[in-house]
Amino acid sequence: MTQGNFANTSNPLDLAIQGTGFFQILQANGQLAYTRAGSFHLDKTGNVVTLNGLQLQPQLTIPAGA
């Protein structure tokens, strides 16, 4: 639960949390979970998801070409 070092990545969707807090994600079983891992990408419909394909909650969709 401790903060690590910030690092620049080549992924514009990577996020970091400074201080306390978590990203809320929706698990495959429909339950909410929390993570501090901020490596995100887009799924085929433009939803922001974790490396494992779990959706960020609340759902965030980025339109094509944005």
Side-chain angles (χ1 to χ4, degrees):
M1 302 291 183
T2 60
Q3 181 173 312
N5 295 323
F6 294 124
N8 288 323
T9 69
S10 60
N11 182 358
L13 295 176
D14 283 352
L15 300 172
I17 297 173
Q18 183 173 0
T20 59
F22 293 88
F23 298 108
Q24 184 172 270
I25 55 172
L26 183 64
Q27 297 183 93
N29 66 5
Q31 293 185 327
L32 292 176
Y34 301 91
T35 183
R36 288 186 60 90
S39 297
F40 297 103
H41 66 278
L42 298 179
D43 67 9
K44 62 183 177 183
T45 59
N47 295 313
V48 177
V49 297
T50 66
L51 292 177
N52 296 328
L54 301 175
Q55 283 188 4
L56 188 61
Q57 291 296 303
Q59 182 177 343
L60 177 61
T61 304
I62 299 178

